[in-house]
Coordinates of all heavy atoms in Angstrom, one line a residue:
M1 N 287.0 188.1 -15.1 CA 285.5 188.0 -15.2 C 285.0 189.3 -15.8 O 285.4 190.4 -15.4 CB 284.9 187.8 -13.8 CG 283.5 187.9 -13.8 SD 282.6 187.5 -12.2 CE 283.8 187.8 -10.9
A2 N 284.1 189.2 -16.8 CA 283.6 190.4 -17.4 C 282.6 191.1 -16.5 O 282.1 190.5 -15.6 CB 282.8 190.0 -18.7
K3 N 282.4 192.4 -16.8 CA 281.5 193.1 -15.9 C 280.1 192.5 -16.0 O 279.6 192.2 -17.1 CB 281.4 194.6 -16.4 CG 280.5 195.5 -15.6 CD 280.7 196.9 -16.0 CE 279.8 197.9 -15.3 NZ 279.1 197.6 -14.1
Q4 N 279.5 192.2 -14.9 CA 278.2 191.5 -14.8 C 277.2 192.6 -14.5 O 277.3 193.4 -13.7 CB 278.3 190.5 -13.6 CG 277.0 189.9 -13.2 CD 276.5 188.9 -14.3 OE1 277.3 188.3 -15.0 NE2 275.2 188.8 -14.4
S5 N 276.0 192.4 -15.2 CA 274.9 193.3 -14.9 C 274.3 192.9 -13.6 O 274.5 191.8 -13.1 CB 273.9 193.4 -16.0 OG 273.9 192.2 -16.8
A6 N 273.4 193.8 -13.1 CA 272.7 193.5 -11.8 C 271.9 192.2 -11.9 O 271.3 192.0 -13.0 CB 271.9 194.7 -11.4
L7 N 271.8 191.4 -10.9 CA 271.0 190.3 -10.9 C 269.6 190.7 -10.6 O 269.3 191.6 -9.8 CB 271.4 189.3 -9.8 CG 272.8 188.7 -9.9 CD1 273.1 187.8 -8.7 CD2 273.0 188.0 -11.2
T8 N 268.6 190.0 -11.1 CA 267.2 190.2 -10.7 C 267.1 189.7 -9.3 O 267.8 188.8 -8.8 CB 266.2 189.5 -11.6 OG1 266.4 188.1 -11.5 CG2 266.4 190.0 -13.1
E9 N 266.1 190.2 -8.6 CA 265.8 189.7 -7.2 C 265.6 188.2 -7.1 O 266.2 187.5 -6.3 CB 264.7 190.5 -6.6 CG 264.6 190.3 -5.1 CD 263.6 191.2 -4.4 OE1 262.8 191.9 -5.1 OE2 263.7 191.2 -3.2
P10 N 264.8 187.6 -8.0 CA 264.6 186.2 -8.0 C 265.9 185.4 -8.2 O 266.2 184.4 -7.5 CB 263.6 185.9 -9.1 CG 262.8 187.1 -9.2 CD 263.8 188.2 -9.0
V11 N 266.7 185.8 -9.2 CA 268.0 185.2 -9.4 C 268.9 185.3 -8.3 O 269.6 184.3 -7.9 CB 268.6 185.7 -10.7 CG1 270.1 185.3 -10.9 CG2 267.8 185.2 -12.0
Y12 N 269.0 186.5 -7.6 CA 269.8 186.6 -6.4 C 269.4 185.6 -5.4 O 270.3 184.9 -4.8 CB 269.6 188.1 -5.9 CG 270.3 188.3 -4.6 CD1 271.7 188.6 -4.6 CD2 269.6 188.3 -3.4 CE1 272.4 188.9 -3.4 CE2 270.3 188.6 -2.2 CZ 271.6 188.8 -2.2 OH 272.3 189.1 -1.0
Y13 N 268.1 185.5 -5.1 CA 267.7 184.6 -4.1 C 267.8 183.1 -4.5 O 268.1 182.3 -3.6 CB 266.2 184.9 -3.7 CG 266.2 186.0 -2.7 CD1 265.6 187.2 -3.1 CD2 266.7 185.9 -1.4 CE1 265.5 188.3 -2.2 CE2 266.6 186.9 -0.5 CZ 266.1 188.1 -0.9 OH 266.0 189.2 0.0
I14 N 267.7 182.8 -5.8 CA 268.0 181.4 -6.2 C 269.5 181.1 -5.9 O 269.8 180.0 -5.4 CB 267.7 181.3 -7.7 CG1 266.1 181.4 -7.9 CG2 268.2 179.9 -8.3 CD1 265.7 181.5 -9.4
L15 N 270.4 182.0 -6.3 CA 271.8 181.7 -6.1 C 272.1 181.6 -4.6 O 272.8 180.7 -4.2 CB 272.7 182.8 -6.7 CG 272.8 182.8 -8.2 CD1 273.5 184.0 -8.7 CD2 273.4 181.5 -8.8
L16 N 271.5 182.5 -3.8 CA 271.7 182.4 -2.4 C 271.2 181.1 -1.8 O 271.8 180.5 -1.0 CB 271.0 183.6 -1.7 CG 271.3 184.0 -0.3 CD1 272.8 184.4 -0.2 CD2 270.5 185.2 0.1
S17 N 270.1 180.6 -2.3 CA 269.5 179.4 -1.8 C 270.4 178.2 -2.2 O 270.5 177.2 -1.4 CB 268.1 179.1 -2.5 OG 267.2 180.1 -2.0
L18 N 271.1 178.3 -3.3 CA 271.9 177.2 -3.8 C 273.3 177.1 -3.2 O 274.1 176.3 -3.6 CB 271.9 177.1 -5.3 CG 270.5 176.8 -5.9 CD1 270.6 176.9 -7.4 CD2 270.1 175.4 -5.5
L19 N 273.5 177.8 -2.1 CA 274.7 177.6 -1.4 C 274.6 176.2 -0.7 O 275.6 175.6 -0.3 CB 274.9 178.7 -0.3 CG 275.3 180.1 -1.0 CD1 275.2 181.2 0.0 CD2 276.7 180.0 -1.6
T20 N 273.4 175.7 -0.6 CA 273.1 174.4 -0.1 C 272.4 173.6 -1.3 O 271.5 174.2 -1.9 CB 272.2 174.4 1.1 OG1 272.8 175.2 2.1 CG2 271.8 173.0 1.6
P21 N 272.8 172.4 -1.6 CA 272.1 171.7 -2.7 C 270.6 171.6 -2.5 O 270.2 171.4 -1.3 CB 272.7 170.3 -2.6 CG 274.0 170.4 -1.9 CD 273.8 171.6 -1.0
M22 N 269.9 171.9 -3.5 CA 268.4 172.0 -3.4 C 267.7 171.7 -4.7 O 268.3 172.0 -5.8 CB 268.1 173.4 -2.9 CG 266.9 173.6 -2.1 SD 266.8 175.3 -1.4 CE 267.9 175.2 0.0
H23 N 266.5 171.1 -4.6 CA 265.7 170.9 -5.8 C 264.8 172.1 -6.0 O 264.7 173.0 -5.2 CB 264.9 169.6 -5.7 CG 264.1 169.5 -4.4 ND1 262.8 170.1 -4.4 CD2 264.3 168.9 -3.2 CE1 262.3 169.9 -3.2 NE2 263.2 169.2 -2.5
G24 N 264.1 172.1 -7.1 CA 263.3 173.3 -7.5 C 262.3 173.7 -6.5 O 262.2 174.9 -6.1
Y25 N 261.5 172.8 -6.0 CA 260.4 173.1 -5.1 C 261.1 173.7 -3.8 O 260.6 174.6 -3.2 CB 259.5 171.9 -4.7 CG 258.4 172.3 -3.8 CD1 257.3 173.1 -4.2 CD2 258.4 171.8 -2.5 CE1 256.3 173.4 -3.4 CE2 257.4 172.2 -1.6 CZ 256.3 172.9 -2.0 OH 255.3 173.3 -1.2
G26 N 262.2 173.1 -3.4 CA 262.9 173.5 -2.2 C 263.4 175.0 -2.4 O 263.4 175.8 -1.4
I27 N 263.9 175.3 -3.6 CA 264.3 176.7 -3.9 C 263.1 177.6 -3.7 O 263.3 178.7 -3.0 CB 264.9 176.8 -5.3 CG1 266.2 175.9 -5.4 CG2 265.2 178.2 -5.6 CD1 266.6 175.8 -6.8
M28 N 262.0 177.3 -4.3 CA 260.8 178.2 -4.2 C 260.4 178.4 -2.7 O 260.2 179.5 -2.3 CB 259.6 177.6 -5.0 CG 259.8 177.6 -6.5 SD 258.4 177.2 -7.4 CE 258.2 175.5 -7.0
Q29 N 260.4 177.3 -1.9 CA 260.1 177.4 -0.5 C 261.1 178.3 0.2 O 260.8 179.1 1.1 CB 259.9 176.0 0.1 CG 258.8 175.3 -0.5 CD 257.4 176.0 -0.3 OE1 256.9 176.5 -1.2 NE2 257.0 176.0 0.9
N30 N 262.4 178.1 -0.1 CA 263.4 178.8 0.6 C 263.4 180.3 0.3 O 263.6 181.1 1.2 CB 264.8 178.2 0.3 CG 265.9 178.7 1.2 OD1 265.8 178.5 2.4 ND2 266.9 179.3 0.7
V31 N 263.2 180.6 -0.9 CA 263.1 182.0 -1.3 C 261.9 182.7 -0.6 O 262.0 183.8 0.0 CB 262.9 182.2 -2.8 CG1 262.6 183.7 -3.2 CG2 264.2 181.8 -3.5
K32 N 260.8 182.0 -0.5 CA 259.6 182.5 0.2 C 259.9 182.7 1.7 O 259.6 183.7 2.3 CB 258.4 181.5 0.0 CG 257.1 182.0 0.5 CD 256.0 181.0 0.1 CE 254.7 181.6 0.4 NZ 253.6 180.6 0.0
K33 N 260.6 181.8 2.3 CA 261.0 181.9 3.7 C 262.0 183.0 3.9 O 261.8 183.8 4.9 CB 261.6 180.5 4.1 CG 262.1 180.5 5.6 CD 262.7 179.2 5.9 CE 263.4 179.3 7.3 NZ 264.3 178.2 7.5
L34 N 263.0 183.1 3.1 CA 264.0 184.2 3.2 C 263.4 185.6 3.1 O 263.9 186.5 3.8 CB 265.1 184.0 2.2 CG 266.1 182.9 2.3 CD1 267.0 182.8 1.1 CD2 267.0 183.1 3.6
T35 N 262.4 185.7 2.3 CA 261.8 187.0 2.1 C 260.5 187.2 2.9 O 259.8 188.2 2.6 CB 261.6 187.2 0.6 OG1 260.6 186.3 0.1 CG2 262.8 187.1 -0.2
N36 N 260.3 186.4 3.8 CA 259.0 186.4 4.6 C 257.8 186.5 3.7 O 256.8 187.3 3.9 CB 259.0 187.6 5.5 CG 260.1 187.4 6.6 OD1 260.2 186.4 7.2 ND2 260.9 188.5 6.8
G37 N 257.8 185.7 2.6 CA 256.7 185.7 1.7 C 256.6 186.8 0.7 O 255.7 186.8 -0.2
R38 N 257.5 187.7 0.7 CA 257.4 188.9 -0.2 C 257.7 188.5 -1.7 O 257.2 189.0 -2.6 CB 258.4 190.0 0.2 CG 258.3 191.2 -0.6 CD 259.3 192.3 0.0 NE 260.7 191.8 0.0 CZ 261.5 191.7 -1.1 NH1 261.0 192.1 -2.3 NH2 262.7 191.3 -0.9
V39 N 258.7 187.5 -1.8 CA 259.0 187.1 -3.2 C 258.6 185.6 -3.3 O 259.0 184.7 -2.6 CB 260.6 187.1 -3.4 CG1 261.0 186.6 -4.8 CG2 261.1 188.6 -3.2
N40 N 257.7 185.4 -4.3 CA 257.2 184.1 -4.6 C 257.6 183.8 -6.1 O 257.2 184.5 -7.0 CB 255.7 184.0 -4.5 CG 255.2 184.0 -3.1 OD1 255.6 183.1 -2.3 ND2 254.4 184.9 -2.7
I41 N 258.4 182.8 -6.2 CA 258.9 182.4 -7.6 C 258.0 181.3 -8.1 O 257.9 180.2 -7.5 CB 260.4 182.0 -7.6 CG1 261.2 183.1 -7.0 CG2 260.8 181.6 -9.0 CD1 262.7 182.7 -6.9
G42 N 257.4 181.5 -9.2 CA 256.6 180.5 -9.9 C 257.5 179.5 -10.6 O 258.7 179.7 -10.9
A43 N 256.9 178.3 -10.9 CA 257.7 177.3 -11.5 C 258.3 177.7 -12.9 O 259.5 177.4 -13.2 CB 256.8 176.0 -11.7
G44 N 257.5 178.4 -13.7 CA 258.0 178.9 -15.0 C 259.2 179.8 -14.9 O 260.3 179.6 -15.5
T45 N 259.1 180.7 -13.9 CA 260.2 181.7 -13.7 C 261.4 180.9 -13.1 O 262.6 181.1 -13.6 CB 259.8 182.8 -12.7 OG1 258.7 183.5 -13.2 CG2 260.9 183.7 -12.3
L46 N 261.2 180.0 -12.2 CA 262.3 179.3 -11.6 C 263.0 178.4 -12.6 O 264.3 178.5 -12.7 CB 261.8 178.4 -10.5 CG 262.8 177.5 -9.8 CD1 263.8 178.3 -9.1 CD2 262.2 176.4 -9.0
Y47 N 262.3 177.6 -13.4 CA 263.0 176.7 -14.3 C 263.6 177.5 -15.5 O 264.7 177.1 -16.0 CB 262.1 175.6 -14.7 CG 262.0 174.7 -13.5 CD1 260.8 174.6 -12.8 CD2 263.0 173.9 -13.1 CE1 260.7 173.8 -11.6 CE2 262.9 173.1 -12.0 CZ 261.8 173.0 -11.2 OH 261.7 172.3 -10.1
G48 N 263.1 178.6 -15.9 CA 263.7 179.5 -16.9 C 265.0 180.0 -16.3 O 266.1 180.0 -17.0
A49 N 265.0 180.5 -15.1 CA 266.2 181.0 -14.4 C 267.3 179.9 -14.2 O 268.4 180.1 -14.5 CB 265.9 181.7 -13.1
I50 N 266.8 178.7 -13.8 CA 267.7 177.6 -13.6 C 268.4 177.3 -14.9 O 269.6 177.1 -15.0 CB 267.0 176.4 -13.0 CG1 266.8 176.6 -11.6 CG2 267.8 175.1 -13.3 CD1 265.9 175.5 -10.9
N51 N 267.7 177.2 -16.0 CA 268.3 176.9 -17.3 C 269.3 178.0 -17.7 O 270.4 177.6 -18.2 CB 267.2 176.8 -18.4 CG 266.4 175.5 -18.3 OD1 266.9 174.5 -17.8 ND2 265.2 175.5 -18.7
T52 N 269.0 179.2 -17.5 CA 270.0 180.3 -17.8 C 271.2 180.2 -16.9 O 272.3 180.3 -17.4 CB 269.3 181.7 -17.6 OG1 268.2 181.8 -18.5 CG2 270.3 182.8 -17.8
L53 N 271.0 180.0 -15.6 CA 272.1 179.9 -14.7 C 273.0 178.6 -15.0 O 274.2 178.7 -14.9 CB 271.6 179.8 -13.2 CG 270.9 181.1 -12.7 CD1 270.2 180.8 -11.4 CD2 271.9 182.2 -12.6
L54 N 272.4 177.5 -15.4 CA 273.1 176.4 -15.8 C 274.0 176.7 -17.1 O 275.2 176.4 -17.1 CB 272.2 175.2 -16.2 CG 271.6 174.4 -15.0 CD1 270.5 173.5 -15.4 CD2 272.7 173.6 -14.2
S55 N 273.4 177.4 -18.1 CA 274.1 177.7 -19.3 C 275.2 178.7 -19.1 O 276.2 178.6 -19.8 CB 273.1 178.2 -20.4 OG 272.7 179.5 -20.1
K56 N 275.1 179.5 -18.1 CA 276.2 180.5 -17.7 C 277.2 179.9 -16.8 O 278.3 180.5 -16.6 CB 275.6 181.7 -17.1 CG 274.8 182.6 -18.0 CD 274.3 183.9 -17.3 CE 273.6 184.8 -18.3 NZ 273.2 186.0 -17.8
G57 N 277.0 178.7 -16.3 CA 277.9 178.0 -15.4 C 277.9 178.6 -14.0 O 278.8 178.3 -13.2
F58 N 276.8 179.2 -13.6 CA 276.7 179.8 -12.3 C 276.2 178.7 -11.3 O 276.4 178.9 -10.1 CB 275.8 181.0 -12.2 CG 276.2 182.2 -13.0 CD1 275.4 183.3 -13.2 CD2 277.5 182.2 -13.6 CE1 275.8 184.4 -13.9 CE2 277.9 183.4 -14.3 CZ 277.1 184.4 -14.5
I59 N 275.5 177.7 -11.8 CA 275.0 176.6 -11.0 C 275.3 175.3 -11.8 O 275.5 175.4 -13.0 CB 273.5 176.7 -10.6 CG1 272.6 176.6 -11.8 CG2 273.2 177.9 -9.8 CD1 271.1 176.4 -11.5
A60 N 275.2 174.2 -11.1 CA 275.4 172.9 -11.7 C 274.4 171.9 -11.1 O 273.9 172.1 -10.0 CB 276.9 172.4 -11.5
E61 N 274.2 170.8 -11.8 CA 273.4 169.8 -11.2 C 274.2 169.1 -10.1 O 275.4 168.9 -10.2 CB 272.9 168.7 -12.3 CG 271.8 169.3 -13.1 CD 271.3 168.2 -14.1 OE1 271.2 167.0 -13.7 OE2 270.9 168.6 -15.2
H62 N 273.5 168.8 -9.0 CA 274.1 168.1 -7.9 C 273.6 166.7 -7.8 O 272.3 166.5 -7.7 CB 273.8 168.9 -6.6 CG 274.5 168.3 -5.4 ND1 275.8 168.4 -5.1 CD2 273.9 167.7 -4.3 CE1 276.1 167.9 -4.0 NE2 274.9 167.4 -3.5
K63 N 274.4 165.7 -7.8 CA 274.0 164.3 -7.9 C 274.0 163.7 -6.4 O 275.0 163.1 -6.0 CB 274.9 163.5 -8.7 CG 275.2 164.1 -10.1 CD 274.0 163.8 -11.0 CE 274.4 164.3 -12.4 NZ 273.4 164.7 -13.3
S64 N 272.9 163.9 -5.7 CA 272.9 163.3 -4.4 C 271.7 162.4 -4.2 O 271.7 161.3 -3.6 CB 272.9 164.4 -3.3 OG 271.7 165.1 -3.3
D65 N 270.5 162.8 -4.8 CA 269.3 162.0 -4.7 C 268.8 161.7 -6.1 O 268.4 162.6 -6.8 CB 268.3 162.7 -3.9 CG 267.0 162.0 -3.7 OD1 266.8 160.9 -4.4 OD2 266.2 162.4 -2.9
P66 N 268.9 160.5 -6.6 CA 268.5 160.2 -8.0 C 267.1 160.4 -8.3 O 266.7 160.6 -9.4 CB 268.9 158.7 -8.2 CG 269.2 158.2 -6.8 CD 269.4 159.3 -5.9
S67 N 266.2 160.5 -7.3 CA 264.8 160.7 -7.5 C 264.5 162.2 -7.7 O 263.4 162.6 -8.1 CB 264.0 160.1 -6.4 OG 264.2 160.8 -5.2
K68 N 265.4 163.1 -7.3 CA 265.1 164.5 -7.4 C 266.3 165.2 -8.1 O 267.5 164.9 -7.9 CB 265.0 165.2 -6.0 CG 263.8 164.7 -5.3 CD 263.8 165.4 -3.9 CE 262.6 164.8 -3.1 NZ 262.6 165.3 -1.7
K69 N 266.0 166.2 -9.0 CA 267.1 166.9 -9.6 C 267.4 168.1 -8.7 O 266.6 169.0 -8.5 CB 266.6 167.4 -11.0 CG 267.6 167.8 -11.9 CD 267.0 168.2 -13.3 CE 267.8 167.5 -14.4 NZ 267.2 167.8 -15.7
E70 N 268.7 168.0 -8.2 CA 269.1 169.1 -7.3 C 270.2 169.9 -8.0 O 270.9 169.4 -8.9 CB 269.7 168.5 -6.0 CG 268.6 167.9 -5.1 CD 269.2 167.5 -3.8 OE1 270.4 167.1 -3.7 OE2 268.4 167.6 -2.8
Y71 N 270.3 171.1 -7.5 CA 271.3 172.1 -8.1 C 272.2 172.6 -6.9 O 271.8 172.7 -5.8 CB 270.6 173.2 -8.8 CG 269.6 172.7 -9.8 CD1 268.3 172.5 -9.5 CD2 270.0 172.4 -11.1 CE1 267.4 172.0 -10.5 CE2 269.2 171.9 -12.1 CZ 267.8 171.7 -11.7 OH 267.0 171.2 -12.7
I72 N 273.4 173.1 -7.3 CA 274.3 173.7 -6.4 C 275.0 174.9 -7.1 O 275.2 174.8 -8.3 CB 275.3 172.7 -5.8 CG1 276.2 173.3 -4.7 CG2 276.2 172.1 -6.9 CD1 275.8 173.0 -3.4
I73 N 275.3 175.9 -6.3 CA 276.1 177.1 -6.9 C 277.5 176.6 -7.2 O 278.1 175.8 -6.5 CB 276.0 178.3 -5.9 CG1 276.4 179.6 -6.6 CG2 276.9 178.0 -4.7 CD1 276.1 180.8 -5.8
T74 N 278.1 177.2 -8.3 CA 279.5 176.9 -8.7 C 280.4 178.0 -8.1 O 279.9 179.0 -7.6 CB 279.6 176.9 -10.2 OG1 279.3 178.1 -10.7 CG2 278.8 175.8 -10.8
E75 N 281.6 177.9 -8.3 CA 282.6 178.9 -7.8 C 282.3 180.2 -8.6 O 282.3 181.3 -8.0 CB 284.0 178.5 -8.0 CG 284.5 177.5 -7.0 CD 284.3 177.9 -5.5 OE1 284.6 179.1 -5.2 OE2 283.7 177.1 -4.7
E76 N 282.0 180.1 -9.9 CA 281.7 181.3 -10.7 C 280.4 181.9 -10.2 O 280.3 183.1 -10.1 CB 281.6 180.9 -12.2 CG 281.4 182.2 -13.0 CD 281.5 181.9 -14.5 OE1 281.6 180.8 -14.9 OE2 281.3 182.9 -15.3
G77 N 279.4 181.1 -9.8 CA 278.2 181.6 -9.3 C 278.4 182.3 -8.0 O 277.8 183.4 -7.7
R78 N 279.3 181.8 -7.1 CA 279.6 182.4 -5.8 C 280.3 183.8 -6.1 O 280.0 184.7 -5.4 CB 280.6 181.5 -5.0 CG 280.0 180.4 -4.3 CD 281.0 179.6 -3.6 NE 280.5 178.5 -2.9 CZ 280.1 178.5 -1.6 NH1 280.3 179.5 -0.9 NH2 279.6 177.4 -1.1
A79 N 281.1 183.9 -7.1 CA 281.8 185.1 -7.4 C 280.8 186.2 -7.8 O 280.8 187.3 -7.4 CB 282.9 184.9 -8.5
I80 N 279.8 185.7 -8.7 CA 278.7 186.6 -9.1 C 277.9 187.1 -8.0 O 277.5 188.2 -7.8 CB 277.9 185.9 -10.2 CG1 278.7 185.6 -11.5 CG2 276.6 186.7 -10.5 CD1 279.2 186.9 -12.2
L81 N 277.5 186.1 -7.1 CA 276.7 186.4 -5.9 C 277.5 187.4 -5.0 O 276.9 188.4 -4.5 CB 276.4 185.2 -5.2 CG 275.4 185.3 -4.0 CD1 274.1 185.8 -4.4 CD2 275.2 183.9 -3.4
S82 N 278.7 187.2 -4.8 CA 279.5 188.1 -4.0 C 279.6 189.5 -4.6 O 279.5 190.5 -3.9 CB 280.9 187.5 -3.8 OG 281.7 188.4 -3.0
A83 N 279.8 189.6 -5.9 CA 279.9 190.9 -6.6 C 278.5 191.6 -6.4 O 278.5 192.8 -6.2 CB 280.2 190.7 -8.0
E84 N 277.4 190.9 -6.5 CA 276.1 191.5 -6.4 C 275.9 192.0 -5.0 O 275.3 193.0 -4.8 CB 275.0 190.5 -6.8 CG 273.6 191.0 -6.7 CD 273.3 192.1 -7.7 OE1 274.1 192.5 -8.5 OE2 272.1 192.6 -7.6
L85 N 276.3 191.2 -4.0 CA 276.2 191.7 -2.6 C 277.0 193.0 -2.4 O 276.5 193.9 -1.7 CB 276.7 190.6 -1.6 CG 276.6 190.9 -0.2 CD1 275.1 191.2 0.2 CD2 277.1 189.7 0.6
S86 N 278.2 193.1 -2.9 CA 278.9 194.3 -2.8 C 278.2 195.5 -3.5 O 278.2 196.6 -3.0 CB 280.3 194.1 -3.5 OG 281.1 193.2 -2.8
R87 N 277.6 195.2 -4.7 CA 276.9 196.3 -5.4 C 275.7 196.7 -4.5 O 275.4 197.9 -4.4 CB 276.4 195.7 -6.7 CG 275.7 196.8 -7.6 CD 275.1 196.1 -8.9 NE 273.9 195.4 -8.5 CZ 272.7 196.0 -8.4 NH1 272.6 197.3 -8.5 NH2 271.6 195.3 -8.1
L88 N 275.0 195.8 -3.9 CA 273.8 196.1 -3.1 C 274.2 196.9 -1.9 O 273.5 197.8 -1.5 CB 273.0 194.9 -2.8 CG 272.3 194.1 -3.9 CD1 271.8 192.8 -3.5 CD2 271.3 195.0 -4.5
K89 N 275.3 196.5 -1.3 CA 275.8 197.3 -0.1 C 276.1 198.7 -0.5 O 275.9 199.6 0.3 CB 277.1 196.6 0.5 CG 276.8 195.3 1.2 CD 278.1 194.7 1.8 CE 277.9 193.5 2.5 NZ 279.1 192.8 3.0
E90 N 276.7 198.9 -1.7 CA 277.0 200.3 -2.1 C 275.7 201.1 -2.3 O 275.7 202.2 -1.9 CB 277.8 200.2 -3.4 CG 278.2 201.6 -4.0 CD 278.9 201.6 -5.3 OE1 279.2 200.5 -5.8 OE2 279.1 202.7 -5.9
L91 N 274.7 200.4 -2.9 CA 273.4 201.1 -3.1 C 272.9 201.5 -1.7 O 272.4 202.7 -1.6 CB 272.4 200.1 -3.7 CG 272.6 199.9 -5.2 CD1 271.6 198.8 -5.6 CD2 272.3 201.1 -6.0
V92 N 272.9 200.7 -0.8 CA 272.3 201.0 0.6 C 273.1 202.1 1.2 O 272.6 203.0 1.7 CB 272.3 199.7 1.4 CG1 272.0 200.1 2.9 CG2 271.3 198.7 0.9
K93 N 274.5 202.0 1.2 CA 275.3 203.0 1.8 C 275.1 204.4 1.2 O 274.9 205.3 1.9 CB 276.8 202.6 1.6 CG 277.8 203.6 2.1 CD 279.2 203.1 1.8 CE 280.2 204.2 1.9 NZ 280.2 205.2 0.8
N94 N 275.0 204.4 -0.2 CA 274.8 205.7 -0.8 C 273.4 206.3 -0.5 O 273.2 207.5 -0.2 CB 274.9 205.6 -2.3 CG 276.4 205.4 -2.8 OD1 277.3 205.7 -2.0 ND2 276.5 204.8 -3.9
G95 N 272.4 205.4 -0.5 CA 271.0 205.8 -0.1 C 271.0 206.3 1.3 O 270.3 207.4 1.5
E96 N 271.6 205.6 2.2 CA 271.5 206.1 3.6 C 272.3 207.4 3.8 O 271.8 208.3 4.5 CB 272.2 205.0 4.5 CG 271.3 203.8 4.7 CD 272.0 202.7 5.5 OE1 273.2 202.7 5.6 OE2 271.2 201.8 6.0
E97 N 273.4 207.5 3.1 CA 274.2 208.8 3.3 C 273.4 210.0 2.7 O 273.3 211.0 3.3 CB 275.5 208.7 2.5 CG 276.5 207.8 3.2 CD 277.8 207.6 2.4 OE1 277.9 208.1 1.3 OE2 278.7 207.0 3.0
I98 N 272.8 209.8 1.6 CA 272.0 210.9 1.0 C 270.7 211.2 1.7 O 270.4 212.3 2.0 CB 271.8 210.6 -0.5 CG1 273.2 210.7 -1.3 CG2 270.8 211.6 -1.1 CD1 273.1 210.2 -2.7
L99 N 270.0 210.1 2.0 CA 268.7 210.4 2.7 C 268.9 210.9 4.1 O 268.1 211.7 4.6 CB 267.9 209.0 2.8 CG 267.2 208.7 1.5 CD1 266.6 207.2 1.7 CD2 266.1 209.6 1.2
E100 N 270.0 210.5 4.8 CA 270.3 211.0 6.2 C 271.1 212.2 6.2 O 271.5 212.7 7.2 CB 270.9 209.8 7.0 CG 269.9 208.7 7.1 CD 270.6 207.4 7.7 OE1 271.8 207.5 8.0 OE2 269.9 206.4 7.8
G101 N 271.5 212.7 5.0 CA 272.2 214.0 4.9 C 273.7 213.9 5.4 O 274.3 214.9 5.8
T102 N 274.3 212.7 5.3 CA 275.7 212.6 5.7 C 276.7 212.6 4.6 O 277.9 212.4 4.8 CB 275.9 211.3 6.5 OG1 275.6 210.2 5.7 CG2 275.0 211.3 7.8
N103 N 276.2 212.8 3.4 CA 277.1 212.8 2.2 C 277.3 214.3 1.8 O 276.9 214.7 0.8 CB 276.5 212.0 1.0 CG 277.4 211.8 -0.1 OD1 278.6 211.9 0.1 ND2 276.9 211.5 -1.3
E104 N 278.1 215.0 2.6 CA 278.3 216.4 2.3 C 279.7 216.7 1.8 O 280.6 216.1 2.0 CB 278.0 217.2 3.5 CG 276.5 217.1 3.9 CD 276.2 217.5 5.3 OE1 277.0 218.1 6.0 OE2 275.1 217.2 5.7

């Protein structure tokens, strides 16, 4: 896998949401719930991100309900999400060490 740049916060939460098959409106609601309302993804942002994630192979259409278009994360998407989580943990660890003066 090539070096992946940092995910935007909305994309991170979209991928996290899609560990369970979900349609667009469900993703928007789930992101809002996960972030206690701090992150609100509009329809334009969501569907632009979905198209990009589909083209990169990070998510796929999930065929469970023919009346709703649902999506699910792929194995490649899981790998990207896992790499991002590791990157974020490193950011937090470094910030805590420096702010708390434990990185001497």
Side-chain angles (χ1 to χ4, degrees):
M1 174 175 23
K3 183 170 174 21
Q4 172 68 31
S5 27
L7 298 177
T8 64
E9 192 171 11
V11 167
Y12 175 81
Y13 279 112
I14 291 167
L15 288 174
L16 198 59
S17 295
L18 291 177
L19 289 168
T20 302
M22 210 169 281
H23 55 82
Y25 183 72
I27 296 168
M28 290 189 293
Q29 293 303 105
N30 194 56
V31 169
K32 191 173 185 177
K33 179 182 170 193
L34 286 172
T35 63
N36 294 313
R38 185 179 57 79
V39 177
N40 286 303
I41 300 175
T45 299
L46 176 68
Y47 288 104
I50 284 174
N51 287 331
T52 299
L53 293 169
L54 284 167
S55 71
K56 289 183 175 186
F58 297 170
I59 65 171
E61 284 189 33
H62 181 73
K63 310 283 188 208
S64 66
D65 182 350
S67 68
K68 294 179 184 170
K69 199 176 228 180
E70 290 187 326
Y71 305 94
I72 185 102
I73 195 167
T74 62
E75 286 305 314
E76 187 173 0
R78 282 179 181 264
I80 294 299
L81 187 59
S82 181
E84 180 67 0
L85 183 58
S86 294
R87 186 188 75 79
L88 292 170
K89 284 179 179 178
E90 180 184 353
L91 284 172
V92 169
K93 178 183 163 283
N94 290 337
E96 287 175 342
E97 286 176 355
I98 292 170
L99 282 172
E100 295 168 7
T102 61
N103 190 19
E104 296 162 11

